[in-house]
Structures are given as C-alpha cells and as structure tokens.
C-alpha cells in the first residue's frame, strides 16, 4: 500500500493494483462546479447561520462591481480609478426616482440604466482624449467632484445624511427570507456579469481589446476601430456599475454619497480587482469574497483597530502576491488570449 | 496596368520644418516601387500620411478610386492599405498567433468568421513567414528578425492590396536581410500585393524594384528605372553630400 | 465691486503661493520618477499628527518635536521608496494602489488615535493677529506662509539650476536611460527626490496648521489640489506648476469671493482643468521636463 503524488497525478498502489487520479487543475476548471458552490453557499448559510447573509451579499456586490471594471480597464487600455462614480450616479437616480415619484425597484432600474448610460456616454470621450496618466488622475477626481456636488445641492441630495425612504428591493414579510432572496439576486447579477464578460473575453472582440491594450496606433493600422471599441467598453461597464448603485439604494433603503463616493470605497473595489487576480475576471469573485470576509473577521477579532489593520493586510497581500489570489492557482500561459492589464505611462 | 494609388501634391510640416512638400506619386497594381532618400528625407512621413497616422496639410490621396485623404486609419486598412514599421512594433503582451489573429479578424470585413477561423487563418500567415514554431511566444520575447517576419505576417493577414515595407534591412545581418528580402518577394508572388518599399540601401532596390522614387528634404528629386536613378548625377550628389536642393 | 476684485486678487496670490507649496512635491515626483504619488495625502496627515504625537503625547518641546518629525518622515519616505516604488517601477498599477493604501493607512491610524474630537492644535504661529490689506483682514500667518511658499520654490528652482545634484535630477527627468549611461546614480537621486519633496509639504502644513482646521482626512483635499495643479502644469514641469498654482488659486478665490459660493471651489477648478486639457492635452508647459 503506498500513496504518492507525481506529476499532477495521485498514485495509489495497493499490491499489484495501481490507481491514478488526475489532480490537474483543469479538472477543477468546470464552471458548473463553482457556480453550483456559489449557489449552495447562501442556501447553506440561510439554514445554518443567517446572520452571515449580509456578508455574502456584500461579497457578491463587490465582485459584481469589479467584473465590469476589469472589462473597462482592458477595453480602454487604461486604469479607471473612479468606478464608484457610476455607482453614485445609478444609486442617486434610483433613490430620487423612488422617493419623489414613489416608484418601486423595477421602474427605478430603468432610471438607473438611463443614468448610467448618460454618464457613461458623457465621459467615454475621455478615454480617447486623455492619455494614460491624465486619464487616471481625472477619473480619480470625478467621484470626488460628484461628492462635492451632493454637498452643494443639499436640498436635492441631502448631503452626508443621505436620501431616506427608498422602497425596499424585495419584501416578503420575513426578514431572513428577504435577506436570502436579496442575496440570491446579488449572486444572480454577479453571475450574469461574469457570464457576459467571460463570453466577451473569449470572443473575437478579445483580441482587439488586447491589441488596444498593447499598442493603440498599431491596432488602428491593423484595422481595429479603436474609438468604437473604447467607447463601447467604457459605456457598457458604466451602465453595469450603475445597476449596482440601484441595488445598493434599494437594498439599504437609503443612499448617501459619502458611503460610496470617497476613495475608501474605490480602494476596496480596486483591492478586489488587484488582490483577486490583477483584473482577471474570475479573480474578482475570489477577491470579492475574500475582502468581504476579511473585513468581517477583522471586525470580530479586533473591533476598534480593524480599520487600521485592514489596509495594512491589504498592502502586505498586494506586495506579496504578484498575480493576486487567483494567480496562486492559475499561472499565466501563453496559449490564453485573455487580455491582461497593462497600464501605459 | 491600372493605377492603384495616386498621391497629388501632398505637403506636411511640423512646426517650421517642411517634412514633405508637394510630392506627387502614382503606383500601378502589381508594381514594386522603391522609395529612397537619405535620413530625414520624409520617406516615413509620406507613408504615415498615406496610411493615415498624420493628417495631410495640403493635397489629396486617392486609393482605388476612393478619396482617402480624410479617412480614418482603420478604414484605409479595410480598403487594403497595410504597412510594417521601421522599428518593429509588436503587441508585446500578445502571442505571435494572437497578434496575427487581430489582423485577420479586423483587417477587412469578412463574413462568417469566428475567432477560431481567424486563428486558423493566422497560422497560415505565420507558416508563410516561417514563424509557425514561435506561434505561442509573446511579442516582447521575439528577436529582431522574428519581429520583422511577424510584422509582415500581421500586415499580410489584413489582406492588403498595397503594402508599405519600411526598411526591412535595418539592424539585420546580411543573411537575415537576404531572407527578409526573399520573403517579401515571395509574398508579392503569392498574395499579389503591390509594394512600396522604403529603403536606403540602394542594392536591394536595384534588384527588387521596377521603379524608384527619390526624396530629398521632403521633395521628390527623381523618379525612374533603378539603373537610371543609380547613374543620375544629381541623386549621387545628394547621397554623397554637397547638395542643397 | 472694487473690494471684491481686490480681495480676489489678494487671495489669488495667497492661495496660489500656498498651493505651490502643496503641489511642488507632487509635481517633482511626477517629473522625476515619472510615477503618480497617490499616497501623497499621507504627508499632510503625518506632518501634523507626528508633530502632535511628539509634542503633546510625549511632551517634548515643539522644536524637538518638529525635528524628530522631519527625521521620521524622511525615513518613512525612504521606506516607501524601497518598499514599493523601487520594487514595482515597471508595474504602475501596483505602485498606485499601494501608495493609495499607504495614504489610507495614515488616515486611519490618525483617526484611530487622534479623532477629530481630540482637538489637535499646533502652536506654530510665528506672528499672531491679522493685518488689513486694503479692505480685507488677513492673518499674518497666512502672509508668512505665502512668502515662504515663494521662497521655497525659488530655492528649489535655484537648486535645480545651479547645483550638480540639481543637474543630475534634471538629466533624469529628460531621459532616464541616457542619464544612467552618463554615470548618474539614479537610485540615489530618486531617493533624494523622495526625501526632498516632503519639505514643502512640511513647511506648508506647519504654517497653516494654526490658521486652518486640521483633521485626519484633510490630506485628500490637499492632494486633490496638488493633482489639479500638476495635471494643469504638465505633470512635473516646475514652470507649469507655478503658473497652474496661481491659476487654481485664482479660480478658488474667484469662486469664493466673486461667485460667493466657496463650496463651488473644487468643482470650478476641475472644470477649468478639464477644459484646458481638451484644448491643450499636454498641459501648460512646453515640455514634460523639469524646468
């Protein structure tokens, strides 16, 4: 009887019998297994320990923000440091519509979509006009300006108190069941985004995005319509993020710019991307769950000190994991055509 | 022989410098035309204007009956203009096959072409350029000769009618340079492209080109058969100095 | 009306000189190291709260506290340089994220130990009271701060134009690889610049700490101004930075006194910068070099 691990195989010899199991990563790459796990997890938690449901919701939402951000980064070839702007736009649009017009989540979703589309289209020329560094800085500033606008027009945006009385996302009477359903909805949105972006990055649009990522001028000389690709991959992710603003507004019943627009929230999203796997879309899911649970654990363990320790841990992880958490498992192979992040100077 | 490209009196200046002034050019289908001149003569600027990197200050460019003077670069590519770069500019983070696939997918509007089809197409061009064994190597890891071959494969994959070849010889050793020249000649035979060949090594153009255009300080100073150009005293004077045209 | 114009002009000069102090370091790092020091916000917090820690918590004399703070800040700068910037010079995204995290850490640590209720107040006033310039009363401290701003900038410019090290820094900002070949020790110069850039911020913060309010999140606001100034000035050109500082100062003063809506300050400045970027994408400066 002997057991050995050899060349990605688990070998079991028992007498004259020999058994082999492949533990090659690709057998773990079945999306169905992982999606199944993600769906089973909330059900399990709902039955065992429903207090954890908000963390799961949080994790799914963080991942769902980071996924379109990855697409935006790859498609425009620049790092956007202001993703929370679109969350703010969608959230405020939905909350205002809900409060002043008494609309429920379904019609306000449309409002949020329109708001996201409007601001996405309005700002997309920036990805053509501004070069790498200028773009980074300007996108960093836009949410902060938005925050200031919410303070200037206090009568509309209610400043740092936030808008109250947004209609709930789902109400079935039972609080725990409510949370469970919201959790499933968040998971659903995240999986849909994952599916869309994954299909996109495996389609024939991926090479043109990676070409733009690498060298815009040559890409255009080789027949890629650079402006079109950039505007599309700026606007659609912006709309996708605006939907999450809508989700936040209806989920909490309140929306305050001070929660979402400052740099702290942006950093969290950025860390989901970076620690998850350097803008690898699957890494975003891992990163989202990791960061949400890390925050929870730190608050439980350290209480008052957790806001201090949290960024320190993130910094250490950022500097020690060269390819992110997802990179521990997935080594980049040349055969893959998935575009990777490449910030130009 | 029908005319494929016609450049009428184009000019371009950068600040006070006249990079190209009042150059006219005509290329017929199936020709190989050499474009030569000393450093800074405006050869690459002229190509950049025809391919659309720079706007034309004055004059116009006609390609196969279309006025392409103000057309965006990618549309010119779809019409059938392609180029290689003097200093190779690969996609550093893309594999060789990936970068050729980009051209195969977007170089021209094709119907019923999936990503997989484009990859198959790309292997064909890679094999033609002798890079098939390097198909999975990233652009930044290739050597200079391989990069030039890759650039050619990439340009051919857009199915061009007119191909601009920008100084293939620069930086290659004699053996590699000969291989590169033969490769371009084969490409001309196999894909039927018209070639505008920029070079300042006279010997190559003497063999390959049917017609040579000489630029000097942004002006066209001579045009004609390679032998005539080689014996033109004015051209010789420009190359050896003491010329203030 | 005349009074408004007068006030606006006076504050343009005052704010412009202060913004010059605030953004000089950011601009320099942009110009020399060619990176964005998005952790720049930590410098403001560190200056105030480290001094406060030595002065109040350890009950040291103010001068000693300031000296200790400067030394500690220099050490932190060097640590950041070796820990993050030197290691990841090629991977911009890691540098930017890491530096942002550092700013967040500084912010959170200050907030944990000295929250806004702790009433941090540094007695660094040189001459108390205020003086009437025309029809406006201005704190003398602010005037001194503005004067120091101009002096420090002048010293920096002199340093870059007249000394050997300054020449090396300028060479690096023109072309990194060539300067390496010419025998400039780039690593040392980078570190030196990192340390040098903390000085204007320290001067600025010590000067305005008694006049304007301090709180743990103030760094972001100053960094915001620094970013605007250096984007407008052409990312690292000192000449551009000087002009841009006064333009931003003017916009702020204009929003505060002519439009009489101080809350519009930053919005107005951002709009001006965006408009300018659309007209002149490379910023005010002619080149991206240092001077």
């Amino acid at each position: 009887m002997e057991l050995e691990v050899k060349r990605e195989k688990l070998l079991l010899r028992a007498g004259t019998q020999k058994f082999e199991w492949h533990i090659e990563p690709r057998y773990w790459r079945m999306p169905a297994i992982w999606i199944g796990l993600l769906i089973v997890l909330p059900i399990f938690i709902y039955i065992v320990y429903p207090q954890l449901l908000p963390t799961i919701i949080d994790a799914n939402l963080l991942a769902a923000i980071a996924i379109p951000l990855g697409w935006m980064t790859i498609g425009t070839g620049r790092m956007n440091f202001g993703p929370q702007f679109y969350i703010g736009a969608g959230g405020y649009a939905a909350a205002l519509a809900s409060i002043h017009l008494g609309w429920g989540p379904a019609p306000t979703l449309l409002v949020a979509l329109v708001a996201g589309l409007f601001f996405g289209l309005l700002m997309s020329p920036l990805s053509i006009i501004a070069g790498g560094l200028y773009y980074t800085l300007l996108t960093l500033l836009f949410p902060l300006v938005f925050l200031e606008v919410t303070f200037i027009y206090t009568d509309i945006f209610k400043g740092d108190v936030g808008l109250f009385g947004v209609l709930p996302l789902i109400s079935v009477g039972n609080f725990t069941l409510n949370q469970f359903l919201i959790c499933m909805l968040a998971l659903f949105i995240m999986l849909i985004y994952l599916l869309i972006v994954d299909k996109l990055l495996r389609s024939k649009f991926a090479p043109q995005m990676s070409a733009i990522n690498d060298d815009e001028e040559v890409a255009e000389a080789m027949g890629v319509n650079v402006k079109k690709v950039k505007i599309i991959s700026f606007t659609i992710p912006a709309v996708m993020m605006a939907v999450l603003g809508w989700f936040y507004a209806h989920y909490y019943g309140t929306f305050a710019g001070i929660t979402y627009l400052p740099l702290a929230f942006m950093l969290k999203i950025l860390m989901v991307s970076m620690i998850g796997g350097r803008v690898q879309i699957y890494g975003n899911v891992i990163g989202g769950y990791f960061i949400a649970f890390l925050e929870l654990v730190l608050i439980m363990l350290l209480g008052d000190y957790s806001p201090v320790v949290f960024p320190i841990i993130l910094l250490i992880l950022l500097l020690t994991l060269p390819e992110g958490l997802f990179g521990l498992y997935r080594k980049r192979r040349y055969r893959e055509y998935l575009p990777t992040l490449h910030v130009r100077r | 022989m029908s005319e494929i490209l016609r450049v009428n009196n184009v000019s371009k200046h950068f600040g006070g410098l006249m990079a190209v002034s009042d150059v006219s050019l005509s290329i017929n289908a199936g020709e190989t035309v050499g474009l030569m001149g000393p450093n800074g003569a405006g050869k690459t600027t002229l190509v950049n204007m025809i391919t659309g990197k720079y706007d034309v200050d004055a004059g116009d460019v006609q390609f196969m009956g279309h006025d392409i003077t103000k057309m965006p670069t990618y549309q010119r590519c779809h019409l059938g203009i392609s180029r290689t770069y003097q200093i190779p500019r690969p996609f550093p983070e893309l594999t060789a096959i990936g970068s050729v696939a980009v051209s195969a997918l977007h170089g021209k509007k094709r119907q019923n072409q999936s990503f997989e089809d484009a990859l198959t197409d790309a292997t064909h061009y890679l094999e033609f350029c002798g890079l098939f064994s390097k198909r999975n190597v990233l652009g930044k890891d290739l050597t200079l000769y391989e990069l030039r071959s890759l650039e050619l494969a990439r340009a051919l994959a857009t199915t061009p009618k007119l191909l601009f070849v920008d100084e293939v010889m620069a930086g290659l050793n004699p053996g590699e340079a000969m291989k590169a020249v033969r490769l371009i000649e084969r490409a001309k035979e196999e894909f039927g492209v018209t070639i505008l060949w920029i070079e300042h090594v006279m010997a190559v153009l003497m063999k390959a080109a049917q017609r040579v255009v000489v630029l000097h300080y942004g002006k066209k100073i001579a045009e004609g058969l390679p032998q005539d150009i080689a014996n033109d005293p004015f051209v010789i004077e420009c190359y050896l100095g003491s010329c203030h045209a | 009306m005349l009074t408004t114009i007068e006030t606006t002009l006076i504050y343009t000069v005052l704010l412009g000189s202060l913004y010059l102090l605030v953004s000089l370091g950011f601009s320099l790092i942009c110009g020399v190291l060619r990176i964005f020091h998005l952790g720049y916000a930590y410098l403001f917090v560190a200056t105030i709260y480290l001094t406060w820690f030595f002065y109040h918590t350890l009950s040291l004399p103010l001068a000693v506290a300031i000296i200790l703070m400067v030394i500690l800040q220099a050490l932190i700068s060097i640590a950041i340089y070796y820990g993050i910037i030197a290691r990841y010079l090629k991977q911009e995204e890691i540098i930017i994220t890491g530096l942002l995290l550092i700013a967040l850490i500084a912010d959170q640590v200050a907030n944990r130990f000295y929250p806004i209720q702790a009433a941090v107040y540094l007695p660094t006033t040189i001459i108390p009271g205020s003086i009437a310039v025309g029809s406006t009363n201005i704190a003398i401290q602010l005037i001194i701060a503005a004067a120091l701003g101009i002096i420090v900038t002048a010293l920096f410019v002199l340093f870059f134009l007249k000394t050997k090290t300054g020449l090396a820094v300028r060479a690096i900002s023109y072309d990194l690889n060539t300067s390496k070949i010419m025998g400039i020790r780039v690593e040392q110069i980078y570190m030196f610049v990192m340390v040098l850039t903390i000085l204007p911020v320290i001067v600025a913060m010590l000067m305005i700490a008694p006049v304007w309010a301090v709180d743990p999140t103030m760094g972001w606001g100053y960094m915001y101004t620094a970013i605007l100034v250096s984007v407008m000035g052409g990312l690292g050109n000192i000449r551009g930075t000087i002009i841009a500082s006064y333009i931003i100062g003017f916009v702020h003063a204009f929003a505060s006194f002519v439009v009489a809506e101080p809350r519009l300050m930053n919005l107005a400045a951002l709009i001006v910068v965006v408009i300018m970027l659309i007209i002149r994408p490379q910023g005010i400066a002619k080149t991206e070099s240092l001077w």
Side-chain angles (χ1 to χ4, degrees):
Chain A
M1 204 52 187
E2 64 181 282
L3 195 68
E4 64 173 305
V5 181
K6 192 179 174 186
R7 284 199 188 162
E8 297 169 329
K9 278 179 210 163
L10 191 66
L11 272 177
L12 177 69
R13 289 171 205 275
T16 55
Q17 299 286 319
K18 181 179 159 197
F19 302 95
E20 275 186 17
W21 287 279
H22 282 268
I23 49 169
E24 247 184 84
R26 61 194 165 104
Y27 288 95
W28 293 96
R29 293 178 81 169
M30 285 277 291
I33 297 175
W34 293 101
I35 291 173
L37 268 179
L38 285 179
I39 294 173
V40 168
L41 184 69
I43 299 174
F44 178 72
I45 284 174
Y46 172 60
I47 297 165
V48 180
Y49 189 67
Q51 285 85 336
L52 261 185
L53 279 175
T55 313
I56 306 272
I57 297 175
D58 217 23
N60 283 323
L61 290 178
L62 282 178
I65 298 167
I67 290 168
L69 178 65
W71 174 12
M72 193 191 259
T73 309
I74 290 164
T76 57
R78 296 164 163 81
M79 193 97 179
N80 191 331
F81 277 83
Q84 77 275 41
F85 183 89
Y86 307 99
I87 296 168
Y92 269 118
L96 287 171
S98 181
I99 289 170
H100 292 295
L101 302 172
W103 287 359
T108 55
L109 175 60
L110 204 66
V111 177
L113 284 175
V114 171
L117 192 64
F118 174 74
F119 282 105
L121 278 177
L122 191 70
M123 298 198 165
S124 54
L126 203 66
S127 62
I128 297 165
I129 298 169
L133 284 175
Y134 290 102
Y135 178 84
T136 306
L137 285 190
L138 285 175
T139 50
L140 188 78
L141 294 180
F142 277 125
L144 303 179
V145 174
F146 189 12
L147 184 62
E148 292 213 348
V149 170
T150 67
F151 285 135
I152 294 170
Y153 297 100
T154 325
D155 44 334
I156 302 173
F157 296 106
K158 297 285 180 294
D160 49 358
V161 188
L163 292 161
F164 275 101
V166 186
L167 291 176
L169 197 58
I170 296 167
S171 61
V172 290
N174 182 339
F175 177 74
T176 321
L177 188 60
N178 238 345
Q179 290 252 302
F180 174 69
L181 290 176
I182 289 173
C183 184
M184 282 320 230
L185 183 62
L187 181 63
F188 176 73
I189 291 178
M190 194 271 281
L191 287 178
I192 290 283
Y193 282 9
L194 191 65
L195 190 75
I196 293 173
V197 179
D198 181 52
K199 281 290 165 222
L200 190 89
L201 294 186
R202 285 172 200 284
S203 72
K204 54 182 163 183
F205 301 103
Q208 67 187 18
M209 292 202 291
S210 27
I212 288 174
N213 222 339
D214 270 3
D215 196 330
E216 269 169 41
E217 196 190 311
V218 180
E220 182 152 17
M222 292 301 133
V224 178
N225 189 346
V226 175
K227 286 179 186 164
K228 192 174 106 190
V229 174
K230 275 193 185 173
I231 289 201
I232 288 175
S233 48
F234 190 95
T235 312
I236 298 179
V239 174
M240 287 160 94
M241 288 184 220
V243 169
L244 291 156
W246 162 84
F247 194 100
Y248 274 119
H250 283 284
Y251 167 39
Y252 290 113
T254 155
F255 195 86
I258 192 87
T259 323
Y260 304 104
L261 293 174
L263 287 172
F265 187 72
M266 186 277 282
L267 254 177
K268 213 156 135 187
I269 301 167
L270 205 60
M271 293 323 287
V272 171
S273 263
M274 298 294 287
I275 290 192
R278 303 277 187 275
V279 196
Q280 293 292 329
I281 49 158
Y282 293 109
N284 290 335
V285 181
I286 299 171
Y289 276 79
F290 177 79
I291 293 220
F293 277 93
L294 180 70
E295 213 177 0
L296 180 79
V297 168
L298 283 182
I299 288 175
M300 286 194 328
L301 288 181
L302 299 170
D304 211 10
Y305 281 90
S306 72
V308 179
V309 180
F310 183 58
I312 295 178
I313 292 182
L314 293 186
L315 183 63
I316 293 168
L317 284 177
L318 181 76
L319 299 182
T320 47
L321 295 174
E323 287 277 314
L325 287 170
F326 193 54
L328 289 180
Y329 151 72
R330 175 191 171 277
K331 294 281 170 277
R332 194 189 298 172
R333 290 184 193 84
Y334 288 167
R335 274 312 290 253
E336 295 181 36
Y337 306 104
L338 296 181
T340 41
L341 178 69
H342 177 85
V343 176
R344 264 169 305 119
R345 288 181 181 230
Chain B
M1 269 206 278
S2 61
E3 191 175 56
I4 188 167
L5 179 83
R6 162 164 282 283
V7 178
N8 291 325
N9 305 56
V10 294
S11 300
K12 176 79 191 170
H13 60 85
F14 299 107
L17 176 77
M18 241 11 212
V20 171
S21 67
D22 208 20
V23 172
S24 297
L25 190 69
S26 159
I27 298 177
N28 293 325
E31 251 186 325
T32 302
V33 178
L35 181 61
M36 56 179 247
N39 283 330
K43 307 179 296 272
T44 305
T45 310
L46 183 62
V47 171
N48 279 339
M49 280 196 290
I50 298 171
T51 53
K53 183 180 169 185
Y54 296 147
D55 294 334
V56 177
D57 284 348
D60 67 298
V61 185
Q62 310 280 337
F63 181 70
M64 302 192 29
H66 301 269
D67 184 2
I68 59 165
T69 318
K70 297 229 171 344
M71 201 180 258
T73 308
Y74 70 94
Q75 283 179 11
R76 299 186 199 207
C77 176
H78 291 177
L79 277 181
I81 295 182
S82 191
R83 69 173 297 182
T84 66
Y85 289 86
Q86 185 176 359
I87 301 157
R89 294 176 65 168
F91 297 122
E93 298 281 336
L94 248 63
T95 55
I97 193 167
S99 26
V100 180
V102 172
S103 306
L105 271 169
H106 303 288
K108 196 180 180 188
K109 291 218 167 64
R110 294 178 176 87
Q111 284 169 342
N112 293 326
Q113 190 192 36
S114 71
F115 187 27
E116 301 296 321
D117 295 343
L119 289 179
T120 318
D121 220 13
T123 50
H124 172 63
Y125 291 105
L126 280 178
E127 202 175 353
F128 175 79
C129 294
L131 274 179
F132 187 67
S133 57
K134 302 271 181 181
R135 62 192 178 282
N136 291 329
V137 180
L138 291 188
K140 60 182 175 189
D141 297 337
L142 291 169
T143 65
L144 183 64
Y145 173 68
E146 287 161 355
L147 283 176
R148 290 212 195 278
S149 310
L150 178 64
E151 290 230 316
L152 187 65
R154 207 168 60 177
L156 288 174
T158 63
T159 59
K161 296 193 175 64
L162 176 60
L163 176 64
F164 293 94
V165 180
D166 203 343
E167 300 205 4
V168 274
M169 313 276 283
L172 299 182
N173 64 37
E176 287 172 341
M178 278 323 292
K179 261 160 69 185
V181 170
R182 268 207 297 276
L183 192 62
I184 292 168
E185 281 169 349
R186 272 205 311 132
K188 186 179 158 66
E189 278 166 29
E190 191 154 325
F191 299 100
V193 290
T194 309
I195 289 176
L196 181 73
W197 194 326
I198 303 174
E199 194 68 71
H200 56 215
V201 181
M202 200 111 176
V204 184
L205 290 183
M206 292 294 288
K207 268 195 289 181
Q210 278 115 44
R211 200 148 57 85
V212 172
V213 175
V214 186
L215 286 186
H216 187 63
Y217 284 121
K219 292 196 179 68
K220 189 163 95 171
I221 56 168
E223 180 175 359
L225 295 173
Q227 292 83 3
D228 300 347
I229 294 291
N231 298 327
D232 189 330
F234 189 53
V235 174
I236 294 171
E237 199 184 327
C238 283
Y239 260 79
L240 298 178
S242 77
C243 168
H244 305 285
Chain C
M1 187 60 209
L2 211 60
T3 334
T4 325
I5 294 172
E6 202 181 280
T7 320
T8 312
L9 284 181
I10 291 168
Y11 269 93
T12 301
V13 175
L14 281 182
L15 291 178
S17 312
L18 274 179
Y19 293 160
L20 196 52
L21 272 183
V22 166
S23 40
L24 195 59
F26 190 82
S27 237
L28 271 180
I29 294 180
C30 263
V32 180
L33 273 75
R34 298 272 168 221
I35 57 158
F36 274 139
H37 194 342
L38 288 189
Y40 195 62
Y42 94 91
L43 285 172
F44 302 91
V45 184
T47 307
I48 297 289
Y49 287 91
L50 283 177
T51 317
W52 182 250
F53 170 73
F54 289 124
Y55 172 65
H56 185 260
T57 312
L58 300 186
S59 316
L60 296 170
L62 186 62
V64 179
I66 289 175
I67 291 166
L68 280 177
M69 180 271 296
V70 174
I71 294 170
L72 200 58
Q73 284 252 54
L75 291 178
I76 294 173
S77 274
I78 293 171
I80 289 175
Y81 173 69
Y82 279 113
I84 297 177
I85 296 173
R87 269 175 73 187
Y88 296 102
L89 210 49
K90 293 275 182 284
Q91 288 158 292
E92 199 121 334
E93 70 274 13
I94 296 186
I95 290 191
I96 292 180
T97 324
L99 290 174
L100 266 173
L101 272 175
I102 284 180
L104 187 69
I105 292 170
D107 180 340
Q108 295 291 352
V109 169
N111 198 22
R112 172 67 191 76
F113 294 103
Y114 304 107
I116 200 160
Q117 300 87 339
V120 174
Y121 175 81
L122 289 178
T124 43
T125 315
I126 297 174
I127 304 168
S130 60
I131 190 170
V133 181
S135 51
T136 15
N137 274 318
I138 297 162
I140 297 177
Q141 183 78 1
L142 269 186
I143 296 175
I144 297 174
L148 274 176
I150 295 168
I151 294 169
V152 168
T153 313
L155 286 179
F156 266 66
V157 171
L158 274 183
F159 171 77
F160 286 124
L161 292 184
K162 298 290 175 200
T163 63
K164 277 191 272 184
T165 322
L167 187 66
V169 175
R170 268 161 61 212
I172 289 177
S173 88
Y174 280 117
D175 193 324
L176 173 61
N177 289 326
T178 315
S179 8
K180 270 184 192 162
I181 294 168
M182 295 305 152
I184 297 171
R185 282 187 281 184
V186 174
E187 292 262 308
Q188 278 186 3
I189 299 279
Y190 274 1
M191 201 180 74
F192 173 71
V193 169
M194 282 294 288
V195 176
L196 195 67
T197 50
I198 67 175
L199 291 177
V201 174
I202 289 175
V203 172
M205 285 326 286
L206 289 180
M207 282 297 113
I208 45 187
V211 189
W212 289 350
V214 294
D215 66 80
T217 55
M218 68 189 164
W220 304 110
Y222 290 116
M223 188 169 80
Y224 182 98
T225 311
I227 290 176
L228 286 182
V229 166
S230 91
V231 167
M232 197 171 194
L235 294 187
N237 185 292
I238 296 184
R239 229 179 274 192
T241 307
I242 294 172
I243 299 169
S245 298
Y246 287 102
I247 292 177
I248 300 281
F250 171 72
V251 172
H252 280 188
F254 188 83
S256 305
F257 298 107
V258 180
V259 188
E261 184 64 89
R263 291 177 302 181
L264 282 176
M265 278 187 344
N266 286 333
L267 186 62
L270 185 91
I271 291 169
V272 169
V273 170
V274 170
I275 290 172
M276 200 217 63
L277 270 192
I278 291 167
I279 301 169
R280 239 186 108 82
Q282 72 274 39
I284 292 177
K286 287 197 187 75
T287 55
E288 275 201 10
S289 59
L290 209 55
W291 177 253

